[in-house]
């Protein structure tokens, strides 16, 4: 018979899918969520991506935040993978998606509209709204046209599709495009787990530092952060199962170390009550 601890640490297939399970020391790439969150905290790495996608070299990123939350009272909040600002005041949201379902047009519209809503303060004039870019980097060719980039802007149908020029832009980058040009090399780098064979030095150095150099046995200091996040997710999944089985908080915390506040949030999500 399984012990109590063994029972609740044996996760189902669906629960395991929600836990970081790849080997960070060998197989992780910039397309992986946990690596993305760490690498693109670096302004220079984010700057490389924006300049490459916009086919420029002069844009200077002055601020960047990963997992940036846009809070909306009584309405759905939005979490942006990467949120950046350049020296001219333009705003950027970069979303990295392996799954096509995460890159639907409505998602781009939602992110773009929320960026607009949060860009101006009370009393600001509409004309002062900054230029915005929502950039989806997708592992697959979501649009299906075979192009490296898909630039999406509002146009005026009755004027031969002239640009509406509201300075709101959406761009999809096709991860399947891997030709030997700037976008192709960037997409190769995004899906390359070996820093020494990457094209861009800035991205390669960041991934190398994250992984801890060239030795498989020498893990970078940031790996500890990833491991802690994976463990925390596993503990949450275990705690959820124990809550559903009606076990008391004291016993749940003995095996998961999840805070009472977090257990209350889990119970609310599961539409059940905690046993104190």
């Amino acid at each position: 018979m399984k012990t109590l601890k063994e029972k609740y640490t044996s996760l189902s297939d669906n629960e395991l899918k929600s836990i970081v399970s790849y080997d960070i020391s060998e197989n992780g790439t910039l397309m992986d969520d946990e690596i993305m969150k760490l690498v693109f905290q670096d302004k220079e790495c984010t700057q490389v991506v924006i300049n490459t996608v916009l086919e420029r070299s002069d844009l200077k990123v002055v601020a960047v935040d990963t997992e940036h939350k846009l809070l909306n009272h009584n309405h759905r909040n939005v979490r942006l993978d990467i949120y950046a600002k350049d020296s001219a005041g333009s705003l950027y949201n970069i979303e990295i998606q392996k799954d096509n379902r995460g890159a639907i047009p409505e998602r781009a519209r939602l992110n773009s509209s929320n960026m607009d809503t949060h860009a101006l303060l009370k009393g600001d004039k509409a004309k002062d709204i900054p230029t915005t870019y929502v950039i989806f980097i997708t592992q697959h060719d979501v649009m299906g046209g075979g192009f490296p980039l898909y630039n999406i802007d509002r146009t005026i149908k009755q004027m031969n599709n002239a640009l509406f020029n509201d300075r709101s832009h959406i761009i999809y980058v096709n991860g399947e495009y891997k030709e030997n040009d700037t976008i192709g090399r960037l997409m190769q780098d995004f899906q390359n787990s070996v820093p020494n064979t990457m094209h861009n030095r800035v991205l390669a150095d960041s991934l190398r530092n994250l992984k801890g150099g060239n030795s498989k046995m020498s893990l970078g200091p940031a790996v500890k952060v990833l491991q802690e996040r994976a463990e925390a997710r596993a503990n949450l999944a275990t705690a959820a199962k124990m809550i559903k089985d009606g076990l008391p908080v004291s016993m749940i915390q003995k095996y998961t170390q999840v805070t009472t506040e977090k257990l209350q949030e889990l119970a609310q999500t599961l539409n059940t009550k905690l046993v104190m």
Side-chain angles (χ1 to χ4, degrees), residues 33-47 61-67 81-84 206 210 222 225-226 229:
D33 190 54
E34 297 298 331
I35 288 182
M36 174 275 294
K37 292 172 187 174
L38 292 172
V39 168
F40 291 106
Q41 289 174 6
D42 185 337
K43 290 186 288 187
E44 191 174 5
C45 288
T46 302
Q47 187 170 285
V61 170
V62 297
V64 65
D65 184 23
T66 57
E67 290 195 295
D81 280 355
I82 303 166
Y83 184 69
S206 183
L210 176 63
V225 176
L226 299 179
R229 286 179 178 173

Side-chain angles (χ1 to χ4, degrees), residues 50 53-54 70 78 80-84 90-97 102-116 131-137 149-153 167-173:
I50 293 173
V53 171
L54 297 187
L70 298 177
V78 173
L80 308 180
D81 280 355
I82 303 166
Y83 184 69
S90 297
L91 301 177
Y92 303 84
N93 164 222
I94 303 173
E95 296 291 316
I96 298 172
Q97 293 291 336
I104 60 175
E106 291 84 355
R107 175 86 181 276
R109 173 184 170 185
L110 179 65
N111 287 10
S112 180
S113 62
N114 271 274
M115 289 173 69
D116 287 344
T131 298
T132 62
Y133 293 86
V134 174
I135 301 171
F136 275 83
I137 297 176
L149 295 175
Y150 300 92
N151 290 279
I152 303 157
D153 294 305
R167 295 184 290 108
S168 173
H169 311 283
I170 295 172
I171 302 173
Y172 278 69
V173 188

Side-chain angles (χ1 to χ4, degrees), residues 5-6 18 24 28 61 101 109 119 130 133 137 139 146 149 157 187-188 202 210 225-226 231 246:
K5 185 174 183 179
E6 288 171 337
S18 68
I24 186 69
V61 170
R101 292 172 296 180
R109 173 184 170 185
Y133 293 86
I137 297 176
Q139 183 165 325
L149 295 175
K157 290 183 178 180
M187 291 301 94
Q188 291 174 40
V202 173
L210 176 63
V225 176
L226 299 179
E231 183 178 354

Side-chain angles (χ1 to χ4, degrees), residues 137-164:
I137 297 176
T138 61
Q139 183 165 325
H140 307 290
D141 184 2
V142 174
M143 296 296 172
F147 296 100
L149 295 175
Y150 300 92
N151 290 279
I152 303 157
D153 294 305
R154 290 187 177 91
T155 60
I156 307 168
K157 290 183 178 180
Q158 289 78 10
M159 296 178 64
N160 198 28
N161 290 323
L163 285 176
F164 185 50

Side-chain angles (χ1 to χ4, degrees), residues 1 34 74 92 132 164-165 170 189 216-217 226 244:
M1 181 179 293
E34 297 298 331
N74 288 335
Y92 303 84
T132 62
F164 185 50
N165 201 27
I170 295 172
D189 283 352
K216 293 181 181 179
M217 300 302 295
L226 299 179
K244 285 187 285 187

